[in-house]
Structure formats: structure tokens, C-alpha cells
């Protein structure tokens, strides 16, 4: 299998040369070159490139991968539910290497200083263009897995326009969506109508007549073979995000539809069937095991980055990470209507190593110009690493929760377990761009309400089941809701309704009372008409007032059953 | 992940009724699940004349998680040649966690061509939806699917 | 109250003998379950469409007995295999006895 060999090449190309204590930025990067990062022994004639979950990050960022990413049921202990050192061991990656930094949280701040930021759509463009040049445009397919148009300040201010314009320069062959839908039906339709490439969703139907809203499939000829791309939007968009923003569209996994579309693709002469999916990793792994005839699933949503495909039966499941950190290149050798061989490389986009594409860089600069002053405002400084990703609280969410407790005078704060949001290194200034990279979205009101202890437990149980239901088809792919002002224990293996216990007020040290009403602050309510200041203003005010943030690794969630 | 935490004004007016039941419009909820299951079983037995339906031939298609408990799409299909001699006559739909388990009964004929129907139903919380089909020879078959009705979502 | 206007969609009106037509119907109706209470705690009286049927030239093809657990603005989709050209008649019956009807002609070649 070529995968392992290619993978070892990249591991060697990015191998650690010195103990972490001796890293200097210049030295670390001497071992990295653009050619080295891109080098791959080609297989067959067809190349499929995948980018996903960019979350509108046009410029390079730091993004710390999770230290806790639990799997439950049958997937317990399987990738992507393997983190840190265990992940490095699984794939024989040297600790301290560039790839180790890209894929794990280990020594994050130290290695981040050594290897620099990752991503940037101008660097992604360079990678894509280089592969197109190497393999030939007529043999290369570029697919965008969605969560592209939202979650930066510029994408919020331009209602996705910035991303649509930049992605037009990359010219993907198709895309799917999730956060795109939080722009509302009208705006989505408007942007889709001028994309120039298909916005696919085989699993969206109108709520009146139960008829398809978008194309399910596109058939593209590349490298002399017919490639069918079937699109799958995030199945739980109207549950995880406000349904009132997409009232006439109904989603769902719709496994039978996927199977029917695969059959239709084969009947129409497809040599290769690709599912461009925003289902989330575990959902796609299950789907691949149940729906025959899919050659490749390009998965998304759960932000996993895996250096090798996960093989399910005859299906390759590819996980390409998030925030522009990676570009996946999958080479396929196809003949007689069948995939004979493949090669794969998860290309890490180290922004100091890969040269920016000048056309894309100019476009990004033009888009950002009117917003630069806002984005560059320094709000304060952090002494420690601020990050979000992980199943339970992250230090960045702790800051957001503290901000809500203080600014909204609440006893308890709740912050959504989004998987997007860039990290901020120790000692760095915190800018408005940093805050909006973790908060920019179309329903940002920071509400204040009351809730009984019993109701709060019910909410935590409900969210926990979205994450830890042993059947992947019931998982929604976010992380656990973040809490401020309370601690709790969770048994992830317990059934719904009995996972959460020991809810305790941090202020009083007393257990929460089931019947008592508590003052709660939170943001990102899915209810229409929610009122309150936008969360970025609340967080910015808090950081300005504090000046310096000193995050602690908190112990407010005690986890068992993992 | 996103939460549906604070009550809307409309919901606040109806406070005191179980939140999920409010969402489904089936307000008299709060009946013990056991009673609802008994209700469902009684309806099925009445429909089949006491015969225990076998699993098979019936395919009930419902979403894993409801987007809106007020309107959950459901589709039922029964394998049958649908000839004068051999066809599906009736299909009973029950929801075993609703305050009243009965949902609908479809009546088919050979002129249906295919024994398939689709409608939208109210579900007062996570529960099983059950479809029982009666054939022209009196035999009965069923399918059962759980639908989760959540109070808050989570997707990042 | 004005009689609700039903909406009907056939996947096609003209078929070859032996083929089936997919029928979709929608009618605007509150489907008041009789299980809700108003602000004063009084039960809001039940008012639902309790029966839907589709007939071909006087013969029932498909029908449905409906409980309050069917959603507001009831939607039904089902199949019809008409033996010859003729008229499909759709009827919705309200608890108050009101009947709503609509027709669609089909051609069988």
C-alpha cells in the first residue's frame, strides 16, 4: 500500500532533529521546505484534493488539536479518538516533529513558536496550484467539505462574500455546507446561484413537498474516468443551529437516499464514487460500513486530521482537519470502473514554509483592508495558552464563561462546544481578531435567564447524549457545552439521563439544588428573538477590563467511563 | 453546539407543562411512559385482533433525531404484490410515548399499486414509532424505530 | 372561516397502463389536538381533519383515519395505479363535518 510509504516520507521530511528545549524557529524550519511538504510518489492519474472546515480563516492561525476526544461504544479507542502521544505512536510520528505539532496538542506553545502558524488561504492556493501543475488540471479534482463561509469577522461582515470570492480563485469542483446555512435561506440561495460550481446536498428537502432543494450529485470527467461526487450537508443543522434560519429546509442523514444516489451514480457510468460529506467522522464511518459502492468518503465537521485513510470495507475515509491547516491529496489508480490502488498525503500547510499565492494574497488583503483597524485592536494579553478544541472545557472557553459571569452578572455561564476557534499563544497580545475568530456568527446574543438546577442537569444530559450516544447516527459532532461557575462529573459510558452528577456551585461549594432558580448567562441560543449584546463585545470588554488573562487548566469537569 | 435554553415568551406562558410536550403541541403529556406503552400495545392488539405481529415486510423510515417534534416526517412501505388476491389492507401507526398512542391508520387497495405512504406527525419526546401492517390474508407484520426529540442541539 | 385550499401534486398526469402515479397533498389546518390548555387553564377544544381519502371514479384507492398526533397542515403522499383514464377525487373531513374536496384528472394510455 503506497500510503504507508508516502507517509513515512513525510514523517522523515518533518522529523525532529533536536530536543524541544533547543528549538529555535529558524532551525526548526530549516528541515522544512515547500517541496518536501508537497513531495509524494504519484499513483495512477487521478488526484482528488480535499479542503474542509476552513471556518472562514483567510490568514494563518495557530490551532491546537484536542487532548481529549473520546470515542464511545464500538469506536472507543479507535482513531480519531486517539490524541497526543498515542496518536503519534499510532502513526509512527516523531514527537517534536512538524507533523507531531500539526496533529497533536503535545508541547503546543513551544512547537508553535518553532514551526509558526498554519493555514492561510493564499498558502492553500499555492498547494492546490502546485498539485494541479504536477498532475495536470484535467486529472485533478478539488472538493470543499463545507464550513467555509462563516466564523471570522470578515465573513460575518460580508455575509460570506469574502469566502465566496476567495474560493472562486481556488475554483473547487463542488462544495457542501453546514455553517453556510446560518446565513439564512435567502443568502445561501443568492451565493449558491453565482458560485459557478455545484453546492451539493442530497440530504436536504423542502418542508412542504419533500422534494430536493439542491443537486445531490455532480459527475465530472477527470483523468479519463467518470467521477461521481455525491454531497451531504451536516444532517443536524436545524437542530444544532437555529431552525428559524432555514425554516423550509429539512435535513437528516437519509442513509437510503445516499444509497440510492450511489446506485444512480453507478448506473450513470461512474467509475469512482466520492461522498463529499459533512456528517462527522463516526457518522461517516458507520455510513461507509452500511452503504455499498462508495470508493471515497471525504469526511468533515468533527475537525479530525488523520495522516492515513481509515479503510472501511472497500471505502477510504479521509479526514482533512480544519482551519486551513491541511490539504488532502488522494491519488487513485482507476481502471475498468474500479479503484486499483491509491496514494494519500495529508499535507500540512506551514505558513512560513509554503509561499503565499500572490493572486490570493492580494484578494485577501483587499477583503481585509476595511476591517484591519477593528481586527488589530489589542484588548489585552494572555499569560497562558488559550485554546478551545477538546470534549470539555478549554482555556479560551473559560475566558468566555468568565466574561459572561462578570459582564452579565450571572451565577452560571454556558458557552457552546463549537469545534472552531483559533488558539492564542502564551505571552501574546489578544486582539479583536482573536476574539472574533472564536465567536463570529450570526446569532451572537449573550442572553441572561434563569433556570432550575434540575433544568440545567437536563440540558447537560441532552448535550452529552449528542456527543456520547453510542450510536454514531445520534451524534451531532460538537463538543460538550462549556460551563462557568459550576463543576460536574460525567460518566460518558452511562445511558442518557444518568451521565451527569455532582453539579456543584463553584461560588458556594454547595451542590446545585434541583428546584432553585439560578441566573444563567449564555450565547448562541437557537431561539429566534434572543436578546443581549453580541458575545464578542462581552468578551472584549472583559479582556480590556482585566488587561492580562492568566488561564488555568481547570478541573471543573470530572470524566469517567472513558 | 448550541442550546435552546431560555424559554420564549410563548413557552413561558405555557410553563408548567413539560417542555418537550409544549414543543410537540401535545400538552396533556406527563403521563408515565409505561401507560403510553400499554396504550400502544392495546391499540396494536385491537388492530390485529390479538395476533402478535412479526417483524419484517414493513419498512418504517423516520429521522434518527427530529428537527421539530411538531412535524416529524414518517414514511411506511410494505412489501406486497398489491394484487386483488394479495395486498396490504391497512397500516396502523402508533407512537408509544405520546399522551395518546394513536397516530393514523392508512387503508390501501389494489389500486394503490404500491403500499407506501408518507405523512408528518407530532412526537412528545423521544419514543418509538411503530407501524403494523395487515395483509388481505389477515397476517400482520411490523416495524419499529426510535426517534429522538432533543431540547438542544450540539454541532460545531 | 374560509374553506382551506388544498394543494395537490402528481408526479405526472399521464401514464401508460400498469404504471403508478405519486400523489402529494397538503391542506392548511391547525389540527388542534384537544390536549392543549389556554392561558386560563381551559382545554382548547379538539378540531382536526379526522379523515382523508382519495377515490378513483367513486372507488376508494387510499384513505387515512387521522388522530391529533398528525401535524398541522396535514401532508399525505401515497401511490395510485389507476386502471384507466378518469378523475381522482380527494376529500378531507373536519371534526365539524366540513368536507374539503379537490379533483385531478389522469390519463392512462
Amino acid at each position: 500500500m503506497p500510503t504507508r510509504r508516502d507517509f513515512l516520507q513525510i514523517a522523515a521530511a518533518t522529523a525532529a532533529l533536536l530536543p524541544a528545549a533547543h528549538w529555535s524557529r529558524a532551525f526548526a524550519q530549516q528541515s522544512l521546505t515547500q517541496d518536501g511538504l508537497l513531495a509524494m510518489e504519484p499513483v495512477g492519474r487521478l488526484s482528488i484534493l480535499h479542503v474542509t472546515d476552513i471556518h472562514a480563516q483567510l490568514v494563518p492561525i495557530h490551532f491546537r488539536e484536542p487532548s481529549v476526544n473520546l470515542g464511545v461504544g464500538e469506536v472507543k479507542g479507535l482513531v480519531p479518538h486517539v490524541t497526543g502521544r498515542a496518536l503519534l505512536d499510532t502513526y509512527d510520528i516523531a514527537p517534536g516533529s512538524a507533523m507531531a505539532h500539526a496533529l497533536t496538542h503535545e508541547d503546543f506553545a513551544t512547537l508553535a513558536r518553532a514551526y509558526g502558524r498554519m493555514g492561510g488561504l493564499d498558502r492553500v492556493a499555492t498547494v492546490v496550484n502546485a498539485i494541479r501543475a504536477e498532475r495536470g488540471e484535467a486529472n485533478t479534482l478539488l472538493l470543499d467539505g463545507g464550513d467555509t463561509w462563516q466564523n471570522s469577522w470578515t465573513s460575518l461582515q460580508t455575509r460570506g462574500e469574502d469566502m465566496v470570492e476567495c474560493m472562486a480563485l481556488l475554483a473547487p469542483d463542488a462544495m457542501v455546507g453546514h455553517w453556510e446555512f446560518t446565513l439564512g435561506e435567502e443568502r445561501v440561495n443568492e451565493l449558491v446561484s453565482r458560485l459557478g460550481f455545484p453546492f451539493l446536498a442530497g440530504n436536504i428537502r423542502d418542508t412542504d413537498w419533500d422534494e430536493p432543494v439542491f443537486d445531490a450529485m455532480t459527475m465530472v470527467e477527470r483523468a479519463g474516468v467518470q467521477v461521481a461526487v455525491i454531497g451531504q450537508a451536516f444532517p443536524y443543522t436545524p437542530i444544532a443551529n437555529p431552525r428559524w434560519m432555514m425554516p423550509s429546509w429539512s435535513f437528516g442523514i437519509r442513509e437510503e437516499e445516499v444509497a440510492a444516489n450511489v446506485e444512480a451514480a453507478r448506473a450513470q457510468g461512474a467509475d469512482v464514487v466520492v461522498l463529499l460529506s459533512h456528517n462527522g467522522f463516526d457518522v461517516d464511518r458507520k455510513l461507509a460500513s452500511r452503504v455499498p459502492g462508495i470508493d471515497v468518503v471525504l469526511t468533515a465537521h468533527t475537525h479530525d486530521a488523520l495522516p492515513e485513510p481509515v479503510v472501511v470495507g472497500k471505502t477510504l475515509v479521509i479526514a482533512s482537519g480544519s482551519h486551513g491547516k491541511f490539504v488532502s491529496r488522494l491519488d487513485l489508480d482507476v481502471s475498468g470502473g474500479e479503484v486499483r490502488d491509491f496514494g494519500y498525503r495529508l499535507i500540512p500547510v506551514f505558513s512560513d514554509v509554503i509561499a503565499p499565492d500572490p493572486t490570493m494574497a492580494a484578494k485577501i488583503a483587499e477583503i481585509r483592508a476595511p476591517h484591519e483597524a477593528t481586527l488589530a485592536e489589542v484588548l489585552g494579553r494572555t499569560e497562558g495558552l488559550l485554546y478551545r478544541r477538546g470534549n470539555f472545557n478549554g482555556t479560551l472557553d473559560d475566558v468566555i464563561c468568565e466574561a459572561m459571569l462578570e459582564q452579565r452578572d450571572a451565577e452560571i455561564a454556558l458557552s457552546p462546544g463549537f469545534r472552531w476557534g483559533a488558539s492564542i499563544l502564551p505571552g501574546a497580545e489578544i486582539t479583536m481578531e482573536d476574539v472574533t475568530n472564536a465567536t463570529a456568527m450570526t446569532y451572537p446574543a449573550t442572553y441572561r435567564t434563569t433556570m432550575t438546577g434540575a433544568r440545567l442537569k437536563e440540558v447537560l444530559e441532552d448535550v452529552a447524549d449528542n456527543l456520547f450516544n453510542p450510536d454514531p447516527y445520534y451524534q451531532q459532532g460538537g463538543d460538550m457545552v462549556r460551563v462557568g461557575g459550576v463543576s460536574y462529573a460525567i460518566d460518558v459510558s452511562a445511558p442518557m439521563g444518568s451521565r451527569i452528577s455532582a453539579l456543584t456551585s463553584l461560588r458556594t461549594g454547595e451542590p446545585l439544588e434541583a428546584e432553585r432558580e439560578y441566573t444563567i448567562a449564555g450565547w448562541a441560543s437557537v431561539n429566534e428573538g434572543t436578546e443581549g449584546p453580541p458575545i464578542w463585545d462581552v468578551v472584549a470588554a472583559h479582556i480590556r477590563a482585566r488587561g492580562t488573562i492568566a488561564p488555568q487548566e481547570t478541573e471543573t469537569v470530572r470524566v469517567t467511563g472513558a | 453546539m448550541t442550546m435552546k435554553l431560555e424559554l420564549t415568551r410563548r413557552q413561558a406562558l405555557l410553563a408548567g407543562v413539560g417542555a418537550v410536550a409544549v414543543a410537540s403541541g401535545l400538552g396533556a403529556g406527563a403521563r408515565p411512559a409505561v401507560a403510553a406503552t400499554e396504550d400502544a400495545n392495546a391499540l396494536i392488539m385491537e388492530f390485529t385482533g390479538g395476533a402478535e405481529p412479526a417483524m419484517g415486510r414493513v419498512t418504517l423510515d423516520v429521522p434518527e433525531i427530529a428537527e421539530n417534534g411538531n412535524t416529524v416526517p414518517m414514511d411506511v412501505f410494505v412489501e406486497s404484490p398489491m394484487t386483488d388476491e394479495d395486498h396490504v389492507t391497512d397500516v396502523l401507526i402508533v407512537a408509544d410515548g405520546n399522551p395518546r398512542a394513536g397516530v393514523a391508520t392508512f387503508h390501501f387497495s389494489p389500486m394503490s399499486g404500491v403500499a407506501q405512504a408518507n405523512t408528518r406527525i407530532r412526537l412528545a419526546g423521544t419514543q418509538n414509532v411503530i407501524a403494523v401492517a395487515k395483509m388481505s390474508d389477515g397476517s400482520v407484520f411490523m416495524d419499529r424505530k426510535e426517534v429522538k426529540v432533543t431540547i438542544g442541539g450540539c454541532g460545531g | 372561516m374560509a374553506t382551506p385550499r388544498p394543494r395537490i401534486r402528481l408526479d405526472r398526469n399521464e401514464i401508460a397502463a400498469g404504471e403508478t402515479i405519486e400523489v402529494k397533498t397538503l391542506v392548511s389546518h391547525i389540527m388542534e389536538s384537544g390536549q392543549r390548555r389556554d392561558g386560563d387553564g381551559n382545554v382548547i377544544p379538539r378540531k382536526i381533519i379526522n379523515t382523508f381519502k382519495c377515490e378513483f371514479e367513486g372507488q376508494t384507492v387510499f384513505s387515512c383515519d387521522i388522530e391529533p398526533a398528525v401535524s398541522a397542515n396535514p401532508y399525505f403522499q401515497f401511490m395510485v395505479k389507476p386502471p384507466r383514464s378518469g378523475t381522482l377525487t380527494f376529500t378531507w373531513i373536519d371534526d365539524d363535518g366540513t368536507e374539503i374536496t379537490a379533483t385531478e384528472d389522469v390519463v392512462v394510455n
Side-chain angles (χ1 to χ4, degrees):
Chain A
M1 196 163 85
T3 315
R4 169 67 64 173
R5 188 174 62 240
D6 286 332
F7 178 67
L8 290 176
Q9 273 180 7
I10 200 164
T14 67
L17 301 176
L18 282 176
H22 296 267
W23 281 113
S24 76
R25 191 178 176 105
F27 192 90
Q29 290 172 5
Q30 277 177 9
S31 63
L32 298 179
T33 63
Q34 182 168 316
D35 289 347
L37 292 179
L38 283 162
M40 169 170 167
E41 193 172 313
V43 174
R45 287 181 57 211
L46 175 66
S47 282
I48 298 175
L49 309 183
H50 184 224
V51 292
T52 193
D53 294 87
I54 292 171
H55 286 282
Q57 297 302 313
L58 291 172
V59 298
I61 43 87
H62 294 292
F63 181 81
R64 175 194 179 275
E65 299 292 337
S67 53
V68 179
N69 194 35
L70 303 176
V72 288
E74 290 178 4
V75 304
K76 186 173 176 173
L78 301 183
V79 293
H81 305 292
V82 177
T83 59
R85 187 60 185 258
L87 182 82
L88 301 182
D89 290 346
T90 302
Y91 293 106
D92 296 330
I93 298 169
S97 66
M99 205 57 178
H101 175 60
L103 293 173
T104 72
H105 68 284
E106 301 271 330
D107 288 324
F108 187 81
T110 308
L111 297 180
R113 288 191 189 100
Y115 291 114
R117 292 172 181 256
M118 296 191 70
L121 211 60
D122 46 6
R123 276 77 167 184
V124 169
T126 299
V127 172
V128 169
N129 291 341
I131 299 169
R132 279 177 171 152
E134 179 196 336
R135 300 283 281 171
E137 296 239 356
N139 304 321
T140 309
L141 205 61
L142 172 64
L143 299 169
D144 173 4
D147 276 359
T148 307
W149 296 351
Q150 277 296 276
N151 308 131
S152 68
W153 184 250
T154 54
S155 66
L156 184 67
Q157 297 308 307
T158 64
R159 298 191 303 143
E161 188 81 43
D162 61 338
M163 294 310 296
V164 169
E165 284 182 25
C166 287
M167 291 305 287
L169 297 177
L170 275 188
D173 292 280
M175 74 176 289
V176 294
H178 166 204
W179 276 90
E180 284 74 9
F181 300 111
T182 64
L183 292 167
E185 289 179 7
E186 195 183 339
R187 179 63 171 165
V188 170
N189 282 333
E190 189 185 323
L191 292 176
V192 165
S193 71
R194 50 194 170 87
L195 277 184
F197 57 87
F199 184 94
L200 301 174
N203 60 332
I204 302 181
R205 294 187 161 242
D206 76 87
T207 51
D208 263 5
W209 294 106
D210 193 33
E211 282 171 11
V213 176
F214 301 97
D215 288 342
M217 185 184 9
T218 182
M219 191 81 87
V220 189
E221 187 177 325
R222 289 287 191 286
V225 298
Q226 295 291 327
V227 184
V229 180
I230 298 168
Q232 181 85 346
F234 174 50
Y236 295 125
T237 304
I239 301 168
N241 306 90
R243 194 175 75 237
W244 61 267
M245 292 179 160
M246 57 217 88
S248 59
W249 296 343
S250 175
F251 294 61
I253 295 173
R254 300 181 190 263
E255 185 189 271
E256 303 79 8
E257 296 279 334
V258 177
N261 284 323
V262 172
E263 275 183 38
R266 294 288 181 194
Q268 288 168 39
D271 298 291
V272 180
V273 174
V274 176
L275 183 68
L276 179 61
S277 167
H278 206 94
N279 279 336
F281 194 94
D282 288 336
V283 177
D284 277 325
R285 173 160 41 200
K286 178 175 173 180
L287 189 74
S289 74
R290 290 167 57 90
V291 176
I294 303 172
D295 295 301
V296 180
V297 178
L298 301 173
T299 189
H301 182 55
T302 39
H303 292 189
D304 313 290
L306 295 178
E308 291 182 23
V310 169
V311 183
V312 181
K314 291 181 170 179
T315 307
L316 303 172
V317 181
I318 305 283
S320 307
S322 63
H323 295 79
K325 280 179 73 175
F326 302 96
V327 175
S328 276
R329 169 177 165 183
L330 176 68
D331 285 4
L332 295 179
D333 180 5
V334 185
S335 64
E338 247 185 89
V339 174
R340 306 283 172 181
D341 196 5
F342 71 92
Y344 177 66
R345 186 142 185 175
L346 179 70
I347 300 166
V349 182
F350 285 101
S351 65
D352 293 342
V353 178
I354 292 170
D357 172 73
T359 311
M360 184 71 88
K363 181 52 124 180
I364 292 170
E366 175 199 321
I367 283 164
R368 287 173 59 88
H371 307 283
E372 283 291 2
T374 305
L375 293 171
E377 185 198 346
V378 175
L379 305 170
R381 203 182 135 267
T382 179
E383 289 179 354
L385 177 67
L386 296 178
Y387 67 92
R388 171 177 283 163
R389 186 67 238 285
N391 285 159
F392 304 100
N393 278 28
T395 49
L396 183 52
D397 293 303
D398 289 339
V399 174
I400 294 172
C401 284
E402 263 174 55
M404 287 192 288
L405 291 176
E406 291 189 8
Q407 301 284 320
R408 298 290 283 162
D409 187 25
E411 296 173 276
I412 296 169
L414 295 172
S415 186
F418 295 139
R419 293 189 174 199
W420 49 270
S423 310
I424 308 160
L425 298 186
E429 289 175 332
I430 306 172
T431 64
M432 195 62 183
E433 176 152 35
D434 293 323
V435 170
T436 54
N437 273 346
T439 55
M441 40 98 89
T442 54
Y443 48 105
T446 310
Y447 60 82
R448 192 168 181 276
T449 187
T450 59
M451 201 185 284
T452 62
R455 176 69 175 162
L456 178 66
K457 179 181 183 300
E458 200 183 335
V459 167
L460 294 179
E461 290 283 2
D462 201 72
V463 178
D465 197 59
N466 294 336
L467 186 54
F468 297 118
N469 191 304
D471 183 343
Y473 278 10
Y474 291 85
Q475 294 170 8
Q476 295 180 21
D479 282 317
M480 190 63 192
V481 55
R482 280 45 177 147
V483 295
V486 288
S487 64
Y488 67 92
I490 177 168
D491 177 353
V492 299
S493 299
M496 180 170 176
S498 44
R499 290 190 181 96
I500 308 291
S501 61
L503 270 163
T504 305
S505 164
L506 291 178
R507 191 181 287 180
T508 64
E510 297 292 320
L512 292 200
E513 294 167 41
E515 302 301 319
R516 213 203 109 183
E517 296 274 353
Y518 295 87
T519 312
I520 309 260
W523 62 289
S525 166
V526 297
N527 286 339
E528 190 168 12
T530 301
E531 289 178 4
I535 184 66
W536 49 81
D537 283 349
V538 173
V539 176
H542 171 74
I543 297 172
R544 282 190 203 103
R546 282 285 180 91
T548 300
I549 299 293
Q552 310 285 322
E553 286 289 339
T554 53
E555 304 287 330
T556 53
V557 185
R558 205 174 72 244
V559 182
T560 57
Chain B
M1 102 101 248
T2 315
M3 289 160 301
K4 206 170 198 168
L5 300 178
E6 76 284 22
L7 297 174
T8 63
R9 206 173 53 183
R10 186 183 66 81
Q11 286 170 330
L13 288 174
L14 293 166
V17 185
V20 175
V22 169
S24 76
L26 298 176
R31 273 183 43 174
V34 175
T37 306
E38 280 172 10
D39 191 15
N41 287 340
L43 282 174
I44 293 168
M45 286 305 123
E46 188 188 335
F47 177 75
T48 64
E52 198 68 48
M55 291 294 284
R57 288 184 69 170
V58 182
T59 304
L60 179 66
D61 189 10
V62 287
E64 285 80 6
I65 307 177
E67 291 174 0
N68 176 358
N70 280 322
T71 171
V72 181
M74 63 130 286
D75 188 283
V76 64
F77 167 73
V78 188
E79 282 176 39
S80 165
M82 294 305 279
T83 58
D84 286 344
E85 300 73 34
D86 182 2
H87 59 271
V88 180
T89 55
D90 315 276
V91 174
L92 171 74
I93 307 294
V94 298
D96 74 3
N98 272 356
R100 290 182 196 160
V103 175
T105 310
F106 301 119
H107 307 286
F108 295 97
S109 71
M111 252 198 290
S112 298
V114 181
Q116 179 271 327
N118 189 310
T119 188
R120 294 165 192 155
I121 67 178
R122 292 165 167 161
L123 295 178
T126 299
Q127 59 185 294
N128 291 308
V129 179
I130 302 161
V132 186
K134 195 188 289 176
M135 310 297 174
S136 50
D137 66 1
S139 60
V140 285
F141 297 88
M142 68 179 284
D143 193 13
R144 179 198 296 118
K145 291 275 166 66
E146 189 184 49
V147 179
K148 185 178 164 186
V149 180
T150 66
I151 52 170
C154 183
Chain C
M1 194 176 84
T3 306
R5 182 181 55 88
R7 291 183 288 163
I8 295 163
R9 277 193 186 183
L10 309 188
D11 67 341
R12 57 217 164 131
N13 284 74
E14 193 168 336
I15 56 166
E19 291 184 338
T20 52
I21 294 173
E22 183 187 56
V23 180
K24 293 179 175 182
T25 69
L26 263 176
V27 67
S28 299
H29 197 286
I30 187 170
M31 295 294 282
E32 187 58 60
S33 69
Q35 298 165 39
R36 295 199 311 157
R37 290 174 189 278
D38 65 18
D40 300 326
N42 302 314
V43 171
I44 304 169
R46 172 179 140 155
K47 178 176 166 51
I48 69 166
I49 299 279
N50 60 47
T51 306
F52 167 75
K53 61 185 174 183
C54 166
E55 295 160 301
F56 177 76
E57 301 287 331
Q59 259 189 298
T60 302
V61 180
F62 170 84
S63 67
C64 184
D65 309 328
I66 301 163
E67 302 292 335
V70 168
S71 306
N73 307 324
Y75 166 86
F76 295 103
Q77 175 272 318
F78 52 93
M79 308 300 285
V80 176
K81 189 178 172 183
R84 57 186 185 279
S85 297
T87 302
L88 292 168
T89 305
F90 305 91
T91 310
W92 293 259
I93 305 174
D94 192 295
D95 276 343
D96 66 11
T98 311
E99 290 197 7
I100 307 159
T101 60
T103 60
E104 287 281 336
D105 292 333
V106 294
V107 176
V108 179
N109 298 310

